Amino acid sequence: EAQVTQNPRYLITVTGKKLTVTCSQNMNHEYMSWYRQDPGLGLRQIYYSMNVEVTDKGDVPEGYKVSRKEKRNFPLILESPSPNQTSLYFCASSLLPSGYGYEQFFGPGTRLTVL
Amino acid sequence: AQKVTQAQTEISVVEKEDVTLDCVYETRDTTYYLFWYKQPPSGELVFLIRRNSFDEQNEISGRYSWNFQKSTSSFNFTITASQVVDSAVYFCALSESPDNHNDMRFGAGTRLTVKP
């Protein structure tokens, strides 16, 4: 089954404790991205990757890191989480960027709470 | 800069009523794509439709229809004879030219509640 998987689905952590949210897709997609969803703000892009070893900042990259060492995986790293990073996070992938008309396939989401 | 406005934060209807979700966008590009996604209470994001800027034909898929009007920069979504299963948050999104890799810009979403 074609899908984007994320782990963990739920995470409660404390300020400053490094964490990684994994993302993997099995559709051989070139483009992957991370979004955060906050009430009243919709989804905002954090980072994206055009291909292996090619990553770039989205609209809200502060406090996050990513890496793309393999085509299928695109982990999101919070080196020192803070309470304002409490949010619902989505990983997404598509064959090419949506500017080419490709819809993005989203993972199930990770609900992160930083205390 | 891209901008997508979904002015209706929440809508509540009774089953079998028709409902229209509004989406207004801003872009300077002539080539762009518009999308609608559904987020049911379970939380996943489900793709509903894609429309490119050169295709202004309205689209109908079962009880769903979309009205794209470039003259008013709107891409509205209508659900006919709504059902309880239509209860969800609906997002409209815009993607500009392929040169802009900073991909989709989402509206804030409209929460639709359909009561039995």
Side-chain angles (χ1 to χ4, degrees), chain A residues 9 31 35 37 40-45 48 50 57-59 88 90 94 97-108, chain B residues 31-33 35 37 39 42-47 50 89 91 95-109:
Chain A
R9 295 288 311 280
Y31 187 90
Y35 293 86
Q37 181 182 350
L41 297 175
L43 281 80
R44 295 177 294 166
Q45 193 178 51
Y48 63 91
M50 292 290 292
K57 298 176 181 179
D59 292 327
L88 178 58
F90 286 99
S94 56
S98 294
Y100 290 93
Y102 290 90
E103 80 265 23
Q104 298 202 30
F105 294 80
F106 286 85
Chain B
T31 302
Y32 53 89
Y33 288 85
F35 302 80
Y37 281 84
Q39 186 178 42
S42 52
E44 73 272 23
L45 285 156
V46 179
F47 166 75
R50 163 191 44 238
V89 180
F91 291 100
S95 284
E96 288 184 330
S97 68
D99 292 337
N100 180 4
H101 299 151
N102 188 354
D103 220 48
M104 302 177 78
R105 298 301 176 97
F106 285 81

Side-chain angles (χ1 to χ4, degrees), chain B residues 5-30:
Chain B
T5 302
Q6 295 180 255
Q8 306 148 305
T9 305
E10 295 191 28
I11 300 175
S12 181
V13 299
V14 177
E15 210 169 18
K16 298 184 183 175
E17 284 185 22
D18 298 348
V19 58
T20 295
L21 310 182
D22 297 333
C23 173
V24 175
Y25 62 92
E26 296 177 27
T27 180
R28 291 182 220 159
D29 276 18
T30 56

Side-chain angles (χ1 to χ4, degrees), chain B residues 33-90:
Chain B
Y33 288 85
L34 294 161
F35 302 80
W36 275 94
Y37 281 84
K38 173 182 180 180
Q39 186 178 42
S42 52
E44 73 272 23
L45 285 156
V46 179
F47 166 75
L48 294 178
I49 191 171
R50 163 191 44 238
R51 173 67 72 214
N52 76 55
S53 54
F54 298 106
D55 181 2
E56 286 194 74
Q57 272 194 324
N58 291 333
E59 178 143 348
I60 299 174
S61 177
R63 297 184 297 105
Y64 294 173
S65 62
W66 289 269
N67 183 357
F68 176 33
Q69 291 198 344
K70 288 176 75 171
S71 60
T72 55
S73 296
S74 65
F75 186 42
N76 297 336
F77 173 30
T78 297
I79 302 175
T80 303
S82 60
Q83 300 177 1
V84 172
V85 293
D86 295 326
S87 296
V89 180
Y90 292 87

